[in-house]
Amino acid sequence: MSDLDAGRLAAVISPLRRALLAATRAEARLPEMSDAQIDVIRALPRGTSRGPAEIADRLRLSRSTVSNLLGAMESDGLVERTPAPADGRRVVVRASAAALDLFDRFDAANSALVAQATARLDPGERAALDAALPVLERLCAVLVGTASPPATPDAADGAAPTEESNR
């Protein structure tokens, strides 16, 4: 068994994400929104509000970056800032109805594009992608620091941990 080509994996992830974002924007005729803005909206699902510091922590961005993002997004009508109910000196942020609509359209177009693209792969390639999903999810969790050490016997012998073992 050969070692993973980490450089090759790293080199494909960023262009893949950019290509998917650009294709999704074009397909759904969405306005220009950065990855970071989409991530902010994703961090604010319907019915939730969070403080800017919590958003920064969740997205692993600096507080000043999130503050700038939120300022631009508020100007564009994508987020609403209001005083925190428990402490009027603090601010909480929630995604606007317009932002949630854009995100729903983005998410639907994104999924449809991936489905169309993967349909053009051969069955073995689709099976390999399907088998890689749990490992890619675990890799993401490791990189953002939310993954716990492997706790299952399967993990000790090199098998991919299950979704339940990551919780």
mmCIF file of all heavy atoms in Angstrom, residues 33-81:
data_model
loop_
_atom_site.group_PDB
_atom_site.id
_atom_site.type_symbol
_atom_site.label_atom_id
_atom_site.label_comp_id
_atom_site.label_asym_id
_atom_site.label_seq_id
_atom_site.Cartn_x
_atom_site.Cartn_y
_atom_site.Cartn_z
ATOM 1 N N MET A 33 -20.858 36.186 -3.943
ATOM 2 C CA MET A 33 -20.730 35.988 -2.500
ATOM 3 C C MET A 33 -19.467 35.173 -2.308
ATOM 4 O O MET A 33 -19.230 34.199 -3.014
ATOM 5 C CB MET A 33 -21.937 35.245 -1.922
ATOM 6 C CG MET A 33 -23.177 36.092 -1.880
ATOM 7 S SD MET A 33 -24.683 35.320 -1.195
ATOM 8 C CE MET A 33 -24.207 33.845 -0.443
ATOM 9 N N SER A 34 -18.677 35.574 -1.344
ATOM 10 C CA SER A 34 -17.434 34.856 -1.077
ATOM 11 C C SER A 34 -17.716 33.570 -0.310
ATOM 12 O O SER A 34 -18.785 33.399 0.284
ATOM 13 C CB SER A 34 -16.487 35.742 -0.260
ATOM 14 O OG SER A 34 -17.004 35.930 1.048
ATOM 15 N N ASP A 35 -16.723 32.691 -0.321
ATOM 16 C CA ASP A 35 -16.809 31.477 0.502
ATOM 17 C C ASP A 35 -17.106 31.844 1.949
ATOM 18 O O ASP A 35 -17.919 31.202 2.616
ATOM 19 C CB ASP A 35 -15.488 30.701 0.470
ATOM 20 C CG ASP A 35 -15.301 29.865 -0.769
ATOM 21 O OD1 ASP A 35 -16.257 29.684 -1.536
ATOM 22 O OD2 ASP A 35 -14.175 29.374 -0.963
ATOM 23 N N ALA A 36 -16.427 32.868 2.430
ATOM 24 C CA ALA A 36 -16.590 33.267 3.836
ATOM 25 C C ALA A 36 -18.010 33.736 4.117
ATOM 26 O O ALA A 36 -18.575 33.419 5.170
ATOM 27 C CB ALA A 36 -15.584 34.348 4.196
ATOM 28 N N GLN A 37 -18.606 34.482 3.192
ATOM 29 C CA GLN A 37 -19.985 34.922 3.397
ATOM 30 C C GLN A 37 -20.941 33.725 3.412
ATOM 31 O O GLN A 37 -21.854 33.670 4.238
ATOM 32 C CB GLN A 37 -20.395 35.918 2.311
ATOM 33 C CG GLN A 37 -19.739 37.271 2.468
ATOM 34 C CD GLN A 37 -20.081 38.207 1.338
ATOM 35 O OE1 GLN A 37 -20.173 37.808 0.172
ATOM 36 N NE2 GLN A 37 -20.263 39.474 1.668
ATOM 37 N N ILE A 38 -20.713 32.789 2.538
ATOM 38 C CA ILE A 38 -21.546 31.580 2.519
ATOM 39 C C ILE A 38 -21.376 30.816 3.828
ATOM 40 O O ILE A 38 -22.344 30.342 4.418
ATOM 41 C CB ILE A 38 -21.204 30.711 1.299
ATOM 42 C CG1 ILE A 38 -21.665 31.430 0.025
ATOM 43 C CG2 ILE A 38 -21.840 29.323 1.406
ATOM 44 C CD1 ILE A 38 -21.136 30.839 -1.254
ATOM 45 N N ASP A 39 -20.146 30.743 4.315
ATOM 46 C CA ASP A 39 -19.900 30.057 5.580
ATOM 47 C C ASP A 39 -20.588 30.764 6.749
ATOM 48 O O ASP A 39 -21.084 30.109 7.671
ATOM 49 C CB ASP A 39 -18.403 29.921 5.836
ATOM 50 C CG ASP A 39 -17.748 28.901 4.926
ATOM 51 O OD1 ASP A 39 -18.459 28.060 4.331
ATOM 52 O OD2 ASP A 39 -16.503 28.948 4.797
ATOM 53 N N VAL A 40 -20.623 32.095 6.725
ATOM 54 C CA VAL A 40 -21.326 32.843 7.782
ATOM 55 C C VAL A 40 -22.806 32.494 7.748
ATOM 56 O O VAL A 40 -23.411 32.208 8.789
ATOM 57 C CB VAL A 40 -21.108 34.373 7.640
ATOM 58 C CG1 VAL A 40 -22.086 35.147 8.525
ATOM 59 C CG2 VAL A 40 -19.678 34.746 8.000
ATOM 60 N N ILE A 41 -23.402 32.499 6.559
ATOM 61 C CA ILE A 41 -24.826 32.165 6.458
ATOM 62 C C ILE A 41 -25.069 30.724 6.900
ATOM 63 O O ILE A 41 -26.035 30.440 7.611
ATOM 64 C CB ILE A 41 -25.353 32.409 5.030
ATOM 65 C CG1 ILE A 41 -25.238 33.904 4.683
ATOM 66 C CG2 ILE A 41 -26.804 31.943 4.893
ATOM 67 C CD1 ILE A 41 -25.451 34.219 3.216
ATOM 68 N N ARG A 42 -24.171 29.822 6.532
ATOM 69 C CA ARG A 42 -24.297 28.418 6.948
ATOM 70 C C ARG A 42 -24.231 28.314 8.482
ATOM 71 O O ARG A 42 -24.873 27.443 9.075
ATOM 72 C CB ARG A 42 -23.188 27.584 6.308
ATOM 73 C CG ARG A 42 -23.283 26.104 6.609
ATOM 74 C CD ARG A 42 -22.239 25.295 5.868
ATOM 75 N NE ARG A 42 -22.655 25.113 4.482
ATOM 76 C CZ ARG A 42 -21.943 25.469 3.415
ATOM 77 N NH1 ARG A 42 -20.758 26.021 3.556
ATOM 78 N NH2 ARG A 42 -22.400 25.263 2.205
ATOM 79 N N ALA A 43 -23.475 29.189 9.120
ATOM 80 C CA ALA A 43 -23.337 29.169 10.583
ATOM 81 C C ALA A 43 -24.544 29.795 11.291
ATOM 82 O O ALA A 43 -24.633 29.756 12.512
ATOM 83 C CB ALA A 43 -22.060 29.906 11.002
ATOM 84 N N LEU A 44 -25.466 30.362 10.499
ATOM 85 C CA LEU A 44 -26.648 31.013 11.060
ATOM 86 C C LEU A 44 -27.933 30.416 10.469
ATOM 87 O O LEU A 44 -28.693 31.098 9.784
ATOM 88 C CB LEU A 44 -26.603 32.526 10.767
ATOM 89 C CG LEU A 44 -25.467 33.315 11.392
ATOM 90 C CD1 LEU A 44 -25.362 34.703 10.782
ATOM 91 C CD2 LEU A 44 -25.640 33.378 12.899
ATOM 92 N N PRO A 45 -28.188 29.133 10.738
ATOM 93 C CA PRO A 45 -29.403 28.526 10.173
ATOM 94 C C PRO A 45 -30.665 29.221 10.682
ATOM 95 O O PRO A 45 -30.629 29.951 11.681
ATOM 96 C CB PRO A 45 -29.340 27.074 10.634
ATOM 97 C CG PRO A 45 -28.308 27.014 11.694
ATOM 98 C CD PRO A 45 -27.446 28.228 11.581
ATOM 99 N N ARG A 46 -31.753 28.989 9.967
ATOM 100 C CA ARG A 46 -33.043 29.593 10.334
ATOM 101 C C ARG A 46 -33.298 29.482 11.830
ATOM 102 O O ARG A 46 -33.092 28.437 12.419
ATOM 103 C CB ARG A 46 -34.167 28.879 9.602
ATOM 104 C CG ARG A 46 -34.423 29.438 8.250
ATOM 105 C CD ARG A 46 -35.609 28.746 7.563
ATOM 106 N NE ARG A 46 -35.822 29.360 6.273
ATOM 107 C CZ ARG A 46 -35.027 29.183 5.228
ATOM 108 N NH1 ARG A 46 -33.988 28.396 5.316
ATOM 109 N NH2 ARG A 46 -35.272 29.800 4.087
ATOM 110 N N GLY A 47 -33.768 30.591 12.392
ATOM 111 C CA GLY A 47 -34.163 30.595 13.793
ATOM 112 C C GLY A 47 -33.026 30.716 14.788
ATOM 113 O O GLY A 47 -33.251 30.623 15.988
ATOM 114 N N THR A 48 -31.798 30.917 14.306
ATOM 115 C CA THR A 48 -30.676 31.048 15.232
ATOM 116 C C THR A 48 -30.063 32.430 15.126
ATOM 117 O O THR A 48 -30.160 33.104 14.098
ATOM 118 C CB THR A 48 -29.564 30.018 14.959
ATOM 119 O OG1 THR A 48 -29.007 30.265 13.677
ATOM 120 C CG2 THR A 48 -30.076 28.600 15.040
ATOM 121 N N SER A 49 -29.458 32.828 16.200
ATOM 122 C CA SER A 49 -28.644 34.039 16.201
ATOM 123 C C SER A 49 -27.414 33.737 17.041
ATOM 124 O O SER A 49 -27.468 32.942 17.977
ATOM 125 C CB SER A 49 -29.420 35.238 16.745
ATOM 126 O OG SER A 49 -29.858 34.991 18.054
ATOM 127 N N ARG A 50 -26.318 34.354 16.659
ATOM 128 C CA ARG A 50 -25.048 34.131 17.364
ATOM 129 C C ARG A 50 -24.311 35.450 17.456
ATOM 130 O O ARG A 50 -24.461 36.323 16.602
ATOM 131 C CB ARG A 50 -24.187 33.127 16.609
ATOM 132 C CG ARG A 50 -24.774 31.733 16.579
ATOM 133 C CD ARG A 50 -23.766 30.703 16.096
ATOM 134 N NE ARG A 50 -24.207 29.373 16.423
ATOM 135 C CZ ARG A 50 -25.024 28.653 15.678
ATOM 136 N NH1 ARG A 50 -25.484 29.120 14.555
ATOM 137 N NH2 ARG A 50 -25.377 27.441 16.058
ATOM 138 N N GLY A 51 -23.473 35.540 18.450
ATOM 139 C CA GLY A 51 -22.607 36.701 18.577
ATOM 140 C C GLY A 51 -21.466 36.623 17.577
ATOM 141 O O GLY A 51 -21.079 35.526 17.151
ATOM 142 N N PRO A 52 -20.908 37.759 17.194
ATOM 143 C CA PRO A 52 -19.788 37.762 16.259
ATOM 144 C C PRO A 52 -18.601 36.910 16.729
ATOM 145 O O PRO A 52 -17.968 36.238 15.915
ATOM 146 C CB PRO A 52 -19.404 39.241 16.163
ATOM 147 C CG PRO A 52 -20.663 39.972 16.501
ATOM 148 C CD PRO A 52 -21.355 39.113 17.523
ATOM 149 N N ALA A 53 -18.318 36.923 18.019
ATOM 150 C CA ALA A 53 -17.197 36.122 18.534
ATOM 151 C C ALA A 53 -17.458 34.633 18.347
ATOM 152 O O ALA A 53 -16.549 33.873 17.986
ATOM 153 C CB ALA A 53 -16.951 36.425 20.009
ATOM 154 N N GLU A 54 -18.695 34.191 18.563
ATOM 155 C CA GLU A 54 -19.036 32.780 18.367
ATOM 156 C C GLU A 54 -18.914 32.402 16.889
ATOM 157 O O GLU A 54 -18.422 31.319 16.551
ATOM 158 C CB GLU A 54 -20.447 32.484 18.873
ATOM 159 C CG GLU A 54 -20.809 31.022 18.775
ATOM 160 C CD GLU A 54 -22.216 30.701 19.257
ATOM 161 O OE1 GLU A 54 -22.926 31.608 19.742
ATOM 162 O OE2 GLU A 54 -22.603 29.527 19.134
ATOM 163 N N ILE A 55 -19.339 33.288 16.010
ATOM 164 C CA ILE A 55 -19.209 33.032 14.571
ATOM 165 C C ILE A 55 -17.731 32.914 14.204
ATOM 166 O O ILE A 55 -17.331 31.993 13.483
ATOM 167 C CB ILE A 55 -19.900 34.141 13.748
ATOM 168 C CG1 ILE A 55 -21.411 34.114 13.997
ATOM 169 C CG2 ILE A 55 -19.588 33.985 12.255
ATOM 170 C CD1 ILE A 55 -22.155 35.326 13.447
ATOM 171 N N ALA A 56 -16.922 33.825 14.720
ATOM 172 C CA ALA A 56 -15.475 33.784 14.449
ATOM 173 C C ALA A 56 -14.876 32.465 14.928
ATOM 174 O O ALA A 56 -14.083 31.836 14.212
ATOM 175 C CB ALA A 56 -14.776 34.967 15.111
ATOM 176 N N ASP A 57 -15.254 32.030 16.117
ATOM 177 C CA ASP A 57 -14.737 30.772 16.649
ATOM 178 C C ASP A 57 -15.178 29.584 15.792
ATOM 179 O O ASP A 57 -14.373 28.707 15.485
ATOM 180 C CB ASP A 57 -15.199 30.559 18.096
ATOM 181 C CG ASP A 57 -14.525 31.518 19.070
ATOM 182 O OD1 ASP A 57 -13.513 32.163 18.694
ATOM 183 O OD2 ASP A 57 -15.027 31.646 20.207
ATOM 184 N N ARG A 58 -16.450 29.560 15.410
ATOM 185 C CA ARG A 58 -16.975 28.456 14.602
ATOM 186 C C ARG A 58 -16.272 28.356 13.255
ATOM 187 O O ARG A 58 -16.027 27.275 12.747
ATOM 188 C CB ARG A 58 -18.471 28.632 14.335
ATOM 189 C CG ARG A 58 -19.343 28.205 15.452
ATOM 190 C CD ARG A 58 -20.817 28.464 15.090
ATOM 191 N NE ARG A 58 -21.644 27.865 16.096
ATOM 192 C CZ ARG A 58 -22.209 26.664 15.979
ATOM 193 N NH1 ARG A 58 -22.052 25.971 14.896
ATOM 194 N NH2 ARG A 58 -22.927 26.174 16.948
ATOM 195 N N LEU A 59 -16.000 29.519 12.656
ATOM 196 C CA LEU A 59 -15.400 29.540 11.323
ATOM 197 C C LEU A 59 -13.880 29.581 11.362
ATOM 198 O O LEU A 59 -13.240 29.555 10.315
ATOM 199 C CB LEU A 59 -15.931 30.742 10.525
ATOM 200 C CG LEU A 59 -17.436 30.770 10.304
ATOM 201 C CD1 LEU A 59 -17.825 32.002 9.493
ATOM 202 C CD2 LEU A 59 -17.924 29.501 9.635
ATOM 203 N N ARG A 60 -13.330 29.672 12.582
ATOM 204 C CA ARG A 60 -11.886 29.744 12.756
ATOM 205 C C ARG A 60 -11.296 30.924 11.988
ATOM 206 O O ARG A 60 -10.295 30.830 11.298
ATOM 207 C CB ARG A 60 -11.209 28.439 12.373
ATOM 208 C CG ARG A 60 -11.677 27.269 13.235
ATOM 209 C CD ARG A 60 -11.027 26.005 12.793
ATOM 210 N NE ARG A 60 -10.531 25.093 13.757
ATOM 211 C CZ ARG A 60 -9.732 25.273 14.818
ATOM 212 N NH1 ARG A 60 -9.311 26.396 15.121
ATOM 213 N NH2 ARG A 60 -9.341 24.309 15.583
ATOM 214 N N LEU A 61 -11.980 32.063 12.116
ATOM 215 C CA LEU A 61 -11.530 33.313 11.520
ATOM 216 C C LEU A 61 -11.268 34.309 12.639
ATOM 217 O O LEU A 61 -11.803 34.179 13.736
ATOM 218 C CB LEU A 61 -12.606 33.884 10.584
ATOM 219 C CG LEU A 61 -12.949 33.067 9.343
ATOM 220 C CD1 LEU A 61 -14.178 33.656 8.647
ATOM 221 C CD2 LEU A 61 -11.765 33.022 8.397
ATOM 222 N N SER A 62 -10.466 35.312 12.347
ATOM 223 C CA SER A 62 -10.217 36.338 13.362
ATOM 224 C C SER A 62 -11.489 37.152 13.572
ATOM 225 O O SER A 62 -12.338 37.268 12.683
ATOM 226 C CB SER A 62 -9.074 37.251 12.934
ATOM 227 O OG SER A 62 -9.495 38.112 11.898
ATOM 228 N N ARG A 63 -11.611 37.708 14.751
ATOM 229 C CA ARG A 63 -12.789 38.511 15.067
ATOM 230 C C ARG A 63 -12.871 39.740 14.167
ATOM 231 O O ARG A 63 -13.954 40.143 13.764
ATOM 232 C CB ARG A 63 -12.787 38.894 16.539
ATOM 233 C CG ARG A 63 -13.052 37.681 17.406
ATOM 234 C CD ARG A 63 -13.104 37.998 18.864
ATOM 235 N NE ARG A 63 -13.303 36.755 19.605
ATOM 236 C CZ ARG A 63 -13.606 36.711 20.863
ATOM 237 N NH1 ARG A 63 -13.728 37.816 21.561
ATOM 238 N NH2 ARG A 63 -13.771 35.546 21.459
ATOM 239 N N SER A 64 -11.721 40.317 13.828
ATOM 240 C CA SER A 64 -11.750 41.490 12.954
ATOM 241 C C SER A 64 -12.217 41.108 11.546
ATOM 242 O O SER A 64 -12.971 41.852 10.905
ATOM 243 C CB SER A 64 -10.387 42.180 12.905
ATOM 244 O OG SER A 64 -9.412 41.318 12.360
ATOM 245 N N THR A 65 -11.812 39.941 11.061
ATOM 246 C CA THR A 65 -12.274 39.478 9.750
ATOM 247 C C THR A 65 -13.783 39.288 9.763
ATOM 248 O O THR A 65 -14.481 39.718 8.836
ATOM 249 C CB THR A 65 -11.569 38.156 9.366
ATOM 250 O OG1 THR A 65 -10.171 38.400 9.247
ATOM 251 C CG2 THR A 65 -12.107 37.585 8.071
ATOM 252 N N VAL A 66 -14.303 38.656 10.807
ATOM 253 C CA VAL A 66 -15.747 38.432 10.910
ATOM 254 C C VAL A 66 -16.472 39.767 11.045
ATOM 255 O O VAL A 66 -17.520 39.971 10.422
ATOM 256 C CB VAL A 66 -16.083 37.470 12.066
ATOM 257 C CG1 VAL A 66 -17.576 37.444 12.357
ATOM 258 C CG2 VAL A 66 -15.592 36.066 11.725
ATOM 259 N N SER A 67 -15.916 40.682 11.801
ATOM 260 C CA SER A 67 -16.535 41.997 11.946
ATOM 261 C C SER A 67 -16.650 42.695 10.590
ATOM 262 O O SER A 67 -17.705 43.260 10.252
ATOM 263 C CB SER A 67 -15.719 42.855 12.917
ATOM 264 O OG SER A 67 -16.305 44.126 13.052
ATOM 265 N N ASN A 68 -15.584 42.632 9.796
ATOM 266 C CA ASN A 68 -15.615 43.229 8.458
ATOM 267 C C ASN A 68 -16.620 42.523 7.558
ATOM 268 O O ASN A 68 -17.357 43.163 6.798
ATOM 269 C CB ASN A 68 -14.222 43.212 7.822
ATOM 270 C CG ASN A 68 -13.262 44.147 8.511
ATOM 271 O OD1 ASN A 68 -13.657 45.121 9.138
ATOM 272 N ND2 ASN A 68 -11.983 43.843 8.411
ATOM 273 N N LEU A 69 -16.635 41.183 7.620
ATOM 274 C CA LEU A 69 -17.602 40.407 6.836
ATOM 275 C C LEU A 69 -19.028 40.787 7.201
ATOM 276 O O LEU A 69 -19.868 41.022 6.326
ATOM 277 C CB LEU A 69 -17.422 38.913 7.113
ATOM 278 C CG LEU A 69 -16.495 38.112 6.252
ATOM 279 C CD1 LEU A 69 -16.297 36.721 6.842
ATOM 280 C CD2 LEU A 69 -17.017 38.014 4.840
ATOM 281 N N LEU A 70 -19.297 40.845 8.499
ATOM 282 C CA LEU A 70 -20.649 41.157 8.956
ATOM 283 C C LEU A 70 -21.061 42.565 8.550
ATOM 284 O O LEU A 70 -22.221 42.791 8.175
ATOM 285 C CB LEU A 70 -20.762 40.979 10.472
ATOM 286 C CG LEU A 70 -20.641 39.543 10.972
ATOM 287 C CD1 LEU A 70 -20.653 39.507 12.499
ATOM 288 C CD2 LEU A 70 -21.722 38.647 10.394
ATOM 289 N N GLY A 71 -20.122 43.500 8.580
ATOM 290 C CA GLY A 71 -20.426 44.865 8.146
ATOM 291 C C GLY A 71 -20.839 44.906 6.685
ATOM 292 O O GLY A 71 -21.847 45.525 6.321
ATOM 293 N N ALA A 72 -20.078 44.223 5.847
ATOM 294 C CA ALA A 72 -20.398 44.171 4.412
ATOM 295 C C ALA A 72 -21.706 43.429 4.179
ATOM 296 O O ALA A 72 -22.542 43.849 3.358
ATOM 297 C CB ALA A 72 -19.259 43.508 3.645
ATOM 298 N N MET A 73 -21.892 42.337 4.899
ATOM 299 C CA MET A 73 -23.107 41.542 4.725
ATOM 300 C C MET A 73 -24.342 42.293 5.214
ATOM 301 O O MET A 73 -25.412 42.184 4.615
ATOM 302 C CB MET A 73 -22.967 40.197 5.441
ATOM 303 C CG MET A 73 -21.944 39.278 4.779
ATOM 304 S SD MET A 73 -21.674 37.741 5.687
ATOM 305 C CE MET A 73 -23.188 36.846 5.244
ATOM 306 N N GLU A 74 -24.190 43.079 6.264
ATOM 307 C CA GLU A 74 -25.305 43.888 6.752
ATOM 308 C C GLU A 74 -25.665 44.953 5.716
ATOM 309 O O GLU A 74 -26.848 45.177 5.438
ATOM 310 C CB GLU A 74 -24.946 44.529 8.092
ATOM 311 C CG GLU A 74 -26.115 45.255 8.743
ATOM 312 C CD GLU A 74 -25.782 45.761 10.136
ATOM 313 O OE1 GLU A 74 -24.625 46.133 10.383
ATOM 314 O OE2 GLU A 74 -26.714 45.794 10.972
ATOM 315 N N SER A 75 -24.665 45.566 5.118
ATOM 316 C CA SER A 75 -24.906 46.564 4.070
ATOM 317 C C SER A 75 -25.634 45.958 2.874
ATOM 318 O O SER A 75 -26.427 46.631 2.217
ATOM 319 C CB SER A 75 -23.586 47.172 3.591
ATOM 320 O OG SER A 75 -22.990 47.918 4.621
ATOM 321 N N ASP A 76 -25.345 44.694 2.598
ATOM 322 C CA ASP A 76 -25.984 43.992 1.470
ATOM 323 C C ASP A 76 -27.322 43.357 1.855
ATOM 324 O O ASP A 76 -27.939 42.672 1.032
ATOM 325 C CB ASP A 76 -25.056 42.901 0.931
ATOM 326 C CG ASP A 76 -23.824 43.460 0.242
ATOM 327 O OD1 ASP A 76 -23.833 44.653 -0.146
ATOM 328 O OD2 ASP A 76 -22.844 42.700 0.092
ATOM 329 N N GLY A 77 -27.732 43.528 3.114
ATOM 330 C CA GLY A 77 -29.005 42.974 3.556
ATOM 331 C C GLY A 77 -28.983 41.481 3.815
ATOM 332 O O GLY A 77 -30.022 40.829 3.819
ATOM 333 N N LEU A 78 -27.787 40.939 4.049
ATOM 334 C CA LEU A 78 -27.671 39.491 4.260
ATOM 335 C C LEU A 78 -27.737 39.086 5.726
ATOM 336 O O LEU A 78 -28.071 37.938 6.029
ATOM 337 C CB LEU A 78 -26.373 38.980 3.639
ATOM 338 C CG LEU A 78 -26.261 39.155 2.123
ATOM 339 C CD1 LEU A 78 -24.883 38.735 1.635
ATOM 340 C CD2 LEU A 78 -27.362 38.391 1.413
ATOM 341 N N VAL A 79 -27.375 39.985 6.619
ATOM 342 C CA VAL A 79 -27.469 39.693 8.049
ATOM 343 C C VAL A 79 -28.091 40.893 8.758
ATOM 344 O O VAL A 79 -28.075 42.020 8.256
ATOM 345 C CB VAL A 79 -26.093 39.367 8.708
ATOM 346 C CG1 VAL A 79 -25.499 38.102 8.140
ATOM 347 C CG2 VAL A 79 -25.145 40.531 8.621
ATOM 348 N N GLU A 80 -28.635 40.608 9.914
ATOM 349 C CA GLU A 80 -29.209 41.639 10.769
ATOM 350 C C GLU A 80 -28.552 41.539 12.129
ATOM 351 O O GLU A 80 -28.428 40.451 12.676
ATOM 352 C CB GLU A 80 -30.723 41.414 10.889
ATOM 353 C CG GLU A 80 -31.428 41.449 9.550
ATOM 354 C CD GLU A 80 -32.811 40.800 9.572
ATOM 355 O OE1 GLU A 80 -33.192 40.185 10.607
ATOM 356 O OE2 GLU A 80 -33.498 40.895 8.551
ATOM 357 N N ARG A 81 -28.101 42.679 12.624
ATOM 358 C CA ARG A 81 -27.505 42.723 13.968
ATOM 359 C C ARG A 81 -28.491 43.414 14.901
ATOM 360 O O ARG A 81 -29.026 44.469 14.576
ATOM 361 C CB ARG A 81 -26.195 43.507 13.954
ATOM 362 C CG ARG A 81 -25.104 42.840 13.166
ATOM 363 C CD ARG A 81 -23.775 43.488 13.467
ATOM 364 N NE ARG A 81 -23.200 44.092 12.277
ATOM 365 C CZ ARG A 81 -21.932 44.407 12.149
ATOM 366 N NH1 ARG A 81 -21.093 44.198 13.143
ATOM 367 N NH2 ARG A 81 -21.468 44.949 11.057
#
